[in-house]
Amino acid sequence: MLPHYWPTPVTGDPLIYGADVSIALVSIAILFVLFYYKKWGWLWREWLTTVDHKKIGILYVIAALLMLFRGGVDGLLMRTQLAQPNMHFLESEHYNQVFSTHGTIMILFVAMPFMFALFNIVIPLQIGARDVAFPYLNAISFWMFFFGALLLNISFVIGGSPDAGWVSYAPLTEKQFDPGPGENFYLMALQLSGIGSMATGINFLVTILRMRAPGMTLMRMPLLTWAVLAASIIIIYAFPALTIALALLLIDRVAGAHFFTMGHGGNPMMYTNLFWIWGHPEVYIVLLPVFGVFSEVFPAFSGKRVFGYSSMVASLMAISIVSFLLWAHHFFTMGAGPGVNTYFGIASMAIGIPTGVKVFNWMFTMYRGRIRMTMPMRWAVGFIPNFVIGGATGVMLAAAPGDYQYHNSFFLIAHFHQVLIGGTIYGSLAGMYFWWPKMFGFTLDEKRGRIAFWLWNVGFYVTFFPQYLLGLMGMTRRIYTYPPGMGWTNLNLLSTIGAFLMGLGFIYIVWDILYSTMHRSELKDVTGDPWNARSLEWSLPSPPPHYNFAVVPTVTRRDEWWELKKSGRADVLRPTAQDIEAIHMPNNSGKPIIFSVFFFIVGLGFVFEWYAVIVIGLAGVLATMLLRSVEEDTGHHIPAEEVRHEEMALGRM
Amino acid sequence: MNGDHFLVLNPAGPVARIELHLIVVSIILVLIVVIPVAILLAYITRRYRDHPDNKAPYMPEWSESKVLEIIWWGIPVTIIAILGVYTAYDTFALVKPPEKNATPVTIQVTSLNWKWLFQYPEQGIATVNECDIPVNRPVQFVITANSPMNGFWVPQLGGQEYAMPGMAMRLWLQADHPGIFYGHGGNFTGRGYAKMDFHVVSRPSAQFAQWVQTVKKTAPALTSKGYNQLVSSQNNTPTLFYSSYPAGSFERTIRHQGGMYMQRDLTIIGASK
């Protein structure tokens, strides 16, 4: 059996040599630190084998920030190449790889882990649970995501990156047009992380439905919990379509089938449909949770109840259903009849209705409140104009005949960056600043955060407003160069300048994190409730003990914590010695990471079409599953005495 | 920056004009929400700051208002109802020839790696990367691809339609004055995609007929071998003109790339089973 490919390092470009060298140096440095300080045991016990939702959440945050850096560098490379006409900074092949990995990474490996970080860090604490429904599965979700992301990232230096866009449309991605292993990397990376995402969706649906504290009825749940519930439902229904699309395309490529090929009875349109049946709901998977974040941040910093709670719930649930009914607006120009286009056009506009209602409700949450302009609030207020303009251009795109003119132009690029950055990223950052003290026990520094926010916010408009205009000037996306004389030059240069401002903003966010970590004793959160906020997680110390609640609270109304504080009875949520019983917690396990390593090996096997490697990997996957299924005792009890001791040490008793 | 560079805002025919009209209508409608939100946001975030001497009312429990909620469910519903009607009307209008009294011209468009082939079944000639049309006559573009999916887009004449293998896609466009209009592929097809631009040249009818005659007399014929070379050579080419092309090559391409299974597409190209 001859291997189809040999994973040769990609050569010929200084960028890639640079990447090779820096990856090697960073890896050596990490290994050195781990050996020198003998940290292997700590890393394994505390992080690699953890099933604690809080730690898994932190791992997701770290991964999301690292990937935001990688995806951001891709973005800056593209903007540098487009700064002037006929630039020779990147050649076509490299530009095509860079825009493909930029999109794939930003959606799958930045937006998604940011969402899952929120799910993990906040949801169990907010509903009064000690962990998620399936903690072991939760660890599998993270490691599958991690190794999926790793697989995509190594493609840049070994074998070549995917180069057919993040949508990876057939037949361009069939072997006939794209013979290298790059596309296989894309297919396997998404497949692996998709398994993780699917499991996360199931996990949080069950967690929210089954593990809420006594008394927390559905209509008493915080809105973030509602938003995560809605997003989990979407994940469960949307991801299978992606799994199928990727699997069929992989079968085409490695086994010579003809699902999506030109000729031989294949139909590329089927891939487009399957992709967007997942792809459009995916947009809402990364938006609904941040809608939840804003629904927590606005009330907390306005000192006021969220406005129109029932409306907010209704709009979340409406979005989760309607998001499945408008996928074809991504291809109005693919010749569906006028009836189909009219339906999908109007359905796409209609999803703007519940979204618009939410914006008004957020504004009226601030109305007659007392607004404290903290870092989370700054990102939340910055989000509103940004997202409203993004939503407005979305409605414009939904008018099908208008879309015939915007389709695949820079107008479209500006639109979706405006909703995905203005929505998802602003929301993730608002959430990160808001729950940072809950995760780490100290707040992030305001002054540096403010500089980061303004660099980013100004940079955003400077980057993307010119792109709307470029779209109306006829500039299409995914072109690596353009001629002078089209009137595009100055706007492109402006857009590039904006992109670098955003890059500087990102550096400032990282600097804010480093600075605050160095000054964590001054920024320490001693109360557990640094923002004077409303939901149950703020009744716990920061960071919470690993069992979260020594005694599970009983909920009697919305905003329980806020109401208790207001009536001066916050102490009822503190445990008393006689109430504390032994707590059952799941055991840490090394199997999720080992299981995922074997899946990674399967992935590599498919990428290079080495069948022996695939078999070895699959055998490992099955063996890990088997070992797990015969494992009898997967949990342990923390004795009541130990819990009392810990609560005493936290000053809670 | 010069106003003329905004191709979408400078329509040169009825299709692009309908589309621009809808774009303008949609901008006005969305501004009904965007502007009040911007003003309200500025007002609220200034007025309700948490300062000790802020005299503005503070009502921490106030969180429901039927009237307000009806207003902001109602406004977007109304806007979308209005825009929906315009959208439906225009979407159906654009699948018909823009002008009923003039005889249409048919041009067959094929996306190749990485150039555009135009075949003129009524004139029997072919061109690459330049498409010539008569003014004030509706042009029926029948579009396919012998390459990955592309999009056929001439912003000043009207919005795009995809070029897809095995499928015959129909797009009506029309130019109402002579001119040279920029066009570009609308969907990424690989290495040479960025340079898949082309031009549409519109001329008065008499000059168009004259141009056809000139091409017939002076340009070489596109042979079957030449056609296959165009398809298989993975490169960008300059503008090319051919006095003839292999009969039935367009229909054959569609059939071979999967059209044989598609009754609708066979009907559009007028081929029987």
Side-chain angles (χ1 to χ4, degrees):
Chain A
M1 189 167 43
L2 280 172
H4 285 70
Y5 307 110
W6 190 248
T8 45
V10 184
T11 53
D13 193 286
L15 276 173
I16 294 172
Y17 289 127
D20 285 335
V21 170
S22 53
I23 289 172
L25 285 178
V26 171
S27 309
I28 291 167
I30 291 173
L31 289 177
F32 175 77
V33 169
L34 287 171
F35 275 114
Y36 189 81
Y37 292 101
K38 299 191 175 64
K39 286 287 187 186
W40 282 107
W42 167 81
L43 188 66
W44 178 258
R45 278 189 311 277
E46 296 290 321
W47 295 98
L48 303 188
T49 60
T50 187
V51 293
D52 181 345
H53 68 96
K54 299 180 286 299
K55 285 187 176 165
I56 290 174
I58 290 170
L59 290 173
Y60 273 120
V61 174
I62 296 169
L65 288 172
L66 283 175
M67 286 291 96
L68 183 58
F69 174 72
R70 158 82 210 261
V73 169
D74 283 346
L76 292 180
L77 291 175
M78 288 154 70
R79 281 314 324 166
T80 306
Q81 166 66 18
L82 292 179
Q84 288 293 302
N86 292 332
M87 286 270 280
H88 289 285
F89 175 65
L90 294 174
E91 290 311 317
S92 178
E93 285 86 344
H94 293 130
Y95 187 85
N96 300 343
Q97 296 187 1
V98 168
F99 76 66
S100 302
T101 50
H102 170 77
T104 311
I105 285 175
M106 287 300 198
I107 295 284
L108 275 309
F109 303 130
V110 176
M112 289 299 269
F114 259 137
M115 296 308 106
F116 293 158
L118 276 169
F119 285 28
N120 272 287
I121 289 161
V122 190
I123 294 303
L125 299 175
Q126 195 164 59
I127 63 173
R130 287 183 175 137
D131 208 319
V132 295
F134 310 114
Y136 177 85
L137 184 65
N138 199 24
I140 289 185
S141 286
F142 174 77
W143 290 110
M144 289 301 284
F145 151 77
F146 177 86
F147 284 104
L150 188 66
L151 193 60
L152 190 85
N153 277 279
I154 62 168
S155 69
F156 186 56
V157 287
I158 305 169
S161 291
D163 57 0
W166 85 279
V167 295
S168 185
Y169 276 175
L172 178 59
T173 46
E174 294 284 357
K175 251 196 172 149
Q176 180 188 357
F177 297 108
D178 206 337
E183 267 315 299
N184 295 353
F185 272 114
Y186 167 93
L187 293 170
M188 287 315 295
L190 266 61
Q191 202 67 286
L192 297 195
S193 63
I195 295 170
S197 305
M198 184 73 193
T200 301
I202 294 169
N203 214 336
F204 279 85
L205 181 75
V206 179
T207 303
I208 293 171
L209 291 182
R210 303 291 303 157
M211 302 197 44
R212 300 192 305 277
M216 184 180 277
T217 58
L218 287 176
M219 290 306 275
R220 286 176 189 163
M221 293 196 314
L223 280 171
L224 177 69
T225 305
W226 266 111
V228 172
L229 179 72
S232 299
I233 293 171
I234 304 181
I235 289 174
I236 292 169
Y237 284 100
F239 264 85
L242 178 69
T243 305
I244 300 285
L246 299 173
L248 297 184
L249 186 51
L250 185 73
I251 294 170
D252 275 7
R253 288 180 58 87
V254 303
H258 292 282
F259 290 107
F260 307 129
T261 55
M262 287 163 65
H264 305 285
N267 187 346
M269 273 300 289
M270 294 306 293
Y271 178 87
T272 311
N273 273 285
L274 282 169
F275 183 85
W276 288 114
I277 285 172
W278 162 77
H280 198 79
E282 165 68 12
V283 174
Y284 289 93
I285 294 171
V286 299
L287 275 176
L288 292 189
V290 302
F291 289 173
V293 171
F294 295 128
S295 302
E296 302 294 317
V297 168
F298 282 119
F301 297 106
S302 305
K304 187 160 163 283
R305 280 189 195 181
V306 73
F307 197 88
Y309 178 91
S310 321
S311 242
M312 293 298 240
V313 172
S315 60
L316 282 171
M317 296 322 274
I319 291 170
S320 77
I321 294 165
V322 181
S323 70
F324 281 95
L325 306 177
L326 29 84
W327 78 90
H329 72 211
H330 293 270
F331 44 96
F332 280 142
T333 53
M334 283 194 187
V340 174
N341 279 357
T342 301
Y343 160 74
F344 278 103
I346 293 174
S348 310
M349 293 171 200
I351 204 162
I353 298 169
T355 317
V357 166
K358 299 187 86 68
V359 170
F360 282 109
N361 279 335
W362 287 320
M363 287 206 297
F364 275 78
T365 301
M366 291 186 279
Y367 182 74
R368 296 181 183 162
R370 278 294 173 271
I371 299 170
R372 286 176 288 147
M373 223 21 117
T374 55
M375 274 322 294
M377 192 62 168
R378 212 166 266 121
W379 286 103
V381 171
F383 147 85
I384 287 186
N386 213 329
F387 194 75
V388 167
I389 298 168
T393 53
V395 170
M396 290 167 64
L397 278 151
D403 179 75
Y404 300 162
Q405 289 283 34
Y406 310 130
H407 182 87
N408 274 357
S409 75
F410 264 79
F411 189 92
L412 171 78
I413 305 302
H415 158 72
F416 73 68
H417 281 92
Q418 187 137 29
V419 281
L420 285 172
I421 296 178
T424 303
I425 298 296
Y426 276 44
S428 301
L429 292 171
M432 186 181 86
Y433 277 95
F434 191 50
W435 282 289
W436 189 275
K438 194 46 65 188
M439 285 188 275
F440 298 106
F442 60 94
T443 48
L444 289 175
D445 178 66
E446 231 1 88
K447 190 175 155 202
R448 277 137 202 96
R450 198 153 55 220
I451 297 171
F453 169 78
W454 281 110
L455 279 170
W456 188 291
N457 202 40
V458 171
F460 177 85
Y461 289 98
V462 177
T463 309
F464 292 104
F465 266 66
Q467 296 190 8
Y468 282 117
L469 302 178
L470 285 168
L472 297 176
M473 290 178 156
M475 182 165 170
T476 49
R477 71 196 292 196
R478 295 177 178 148
I479 52 174
Y480 75 99
T481 192
Y482 57 90
M486 299 293 297
W488 301 347
T489 308
N490 293 338
L491 288 172
N492 269 305
L493 182 63
L494 195 60
S495 179
T496 303
I497 293 170
F500 277 92
L501 281 179
M502 287 174 79
L504 211 56
F506 176 79
I507 291 172
Y508 251 94
I509 289 173
V510 175
W511 169 232
D512 192 10
I513 292 172
L514 295 176
Y515 176 90
S516 309
T517 310
M518 288 185 289
H519 295 78
R520 60 187 174 281
S521 49
E522 298 143 49
L523 295 161
K524 198 167 165 53
D525 166 31
V526 284
T527 61
D529 186 12
W531 313 115
N532 194 13
R534 312 176 74 84
S535 44
L536 284 179
E537 70 270 31
W538 304 107
S539 72
L540 294 171
S542 299
H546 90 276
Y547 48 78
N548 297 354
F549 295 89
V551 174
V552 173
T554 302
V555 174
T556 57
R557 62 207 134 170
R558 271 176 223 156
D559 292 337
E560 178 78 26
W561 172 241
W562 171 260
E563 299 292 342
L564 285 173
K565 280 192 289 185
K566 212 174 58 183
S567 55
R569 293 170 54 240
D571 282 353
V572 302
L573 288 184
R574 292 196 168 222
T576 55
Q578 61 272 29
D579 286 342
I580 290 176
E581 291 165 9
I583 295 175
H584 186 258
M585 293 300 286
N587 287 343
N588 281 1
S589 171
K591 291 191 191 75
I593 186 172
I594 294 170
F595 171 85
S596 307
V597 167
F598 280 119
F599 250 118
F600 179 74
I601 293 170
V602 175
L604 274 181
F606 272 112
V607 166
F608 295 107
E609 296 176 35
W610 296 333
Y611 296 100
V613 173
I614 298 172
V615 171
I616 294 168
L618 282 176
V621 168
L622 286 174
T624 330
M625 288 167 83
L626 194 71
L627 282 175
R628 169 68 181 182
S629 61
V630 297
E631 211 171 314
E632 296 230 321
D633 193 12
T634 58
H636 62 279
H637 281 90
I638 309 174
E641 200 40 52
E642 201 181 313
V643 177
R644 271 179 222 125
H645 202 77
E646 172 115 26
E647 291 292 308
M648 218 98 83
L650 288 166
R652 309 255 302 156
M653 278 167 54
Chain B
M1 212 189 339
N2 173 336
D4 293 346
H5 285 134
F6 289 91
L7 303 180
V8 172
L9 309 182
N10 286 296
V15 173
R17 207 167 298 118
I18 290 174
E19 286 160 353
L20 177 61
H21 178 252
L22 184 63
I23 289 171
V24 172
V25 168
S26 65
I27 291 176
I28 293 169
L29 285 170
V30 296
L31 285 180
I32 296 176
V33 172
V34 173
I35 292 174
V37 166
I39 295 170
L40 259 176
L41 183 69
Y43 169 76
I44 291 172
T45 49
R46 279 175 66 92
R47 176 119 202 260
Y48 296 101
R49 283 303 173 97
D50 186 29
H51 298 304
D53 48 355
N54 191 341
K55 298 281 190 305
Y58 175 46
M59 301 170 72
E61 306 299 320
W62 181 68
S63 63
E64 299 286 337
S65 162
K66 279 265 155 1
V67 180
L68 285 174
E69 293 223 54
I70 288 169
I71 291 174
W72 60 65
W73 278 93
I75 292 172
V77 169
T78 316
I79 288 175
I80 273 136
I82 298 170
L83 187 57
V85 171
Y86 275 101
T87 299
Y89 186 83
D90 288 348
T91 309
F92 279 89
L94 291 180
V95 294
K96 299 190 199 91
E99 189 168 332
K100 285 170 201 72
N101 301 325
T103 352
V105 191
T106 295
I107 296 177
Q108 298 167 332
V109 184
T110 312
S111 162
L112 302 174
N113 272 356
W114 286 282
K115 60 244 159 202
W116 291 94
L117 173 66
F118 300 95
Q119 289 163 301
Y120 305 70
E122 290 148 26
Q123 287 75 22
I125 58 171
T127 55
V128 169
N129 290 342
E130 179 182 308
C131 176
D132 294 74
I133 60 171
V135 206
N136 288 328
R137 278 174 70 186
V139 184
Q140 177 187 216
F141 288 97
V142 182
I143 306 164
T144 193
N146 201 344
S147 73
M149 288 182 199
N150 208 329
F152 177 74
W153 187 29
V154 190
Q156 283 187 276
L157 296 184
Q160 69 176 284
E161 189 69 41
Y162 266 38
M164 312 212 297
M167 296 180 74
M169 315 283 282
R170 192 186 266 147
L171 176 67
W172 287 102
L173 296 177
Q174 182 175 324
D176 53 13
H177 59 81
I180 299 175
F181 309 112
Y182 172 82
H184 199 286
N187 191 54
F188 181 67
T189 54
R191 184 165 47 84
Y193 166 74
K195 297 192 171 160
M196 275 191 82
D197 55 322
F198 59 94
H199 288 89
V200 174
V201 180
S202 70
R203 295 187 175 88
S205 278
Q207 287 177 31
F208 175 74
Q210 208 175 7
W211 171 80
V212 171
Q213 289 313 315
T214 315
V215 171
K216 283 201 161 178
K217 275 190 216 125
T218 58
L222 178 61
T223 58
S224 286
K225 197 175 153 211
Y227 178 82
N228 292 338
Q229 257 168 7
L230 271 185
V231 174
S232 56
S233 68
Q234 306 270 305
N235 59 8
N236 301 112
T237 54
T239 310
L240 300 169
F241 300 93
Y242 299 104
S243 57
S244 68
Y245 60 84
S249 53
F250 183 76
E251 290 79 4
R252 256 197 312 282
T253 298
I254 291 184
R255 269 169 192 278
H256 285 179
Q257 303 302 343
M260 53 196 154
Y261 306 104
M262 312 267 187
Q263 196 49 52
R264 189 197 74 141
D265 301 274
L266 293 178
T267 315
I268 289 179
I269 58 177
S272 59
K273 277 175 272 179

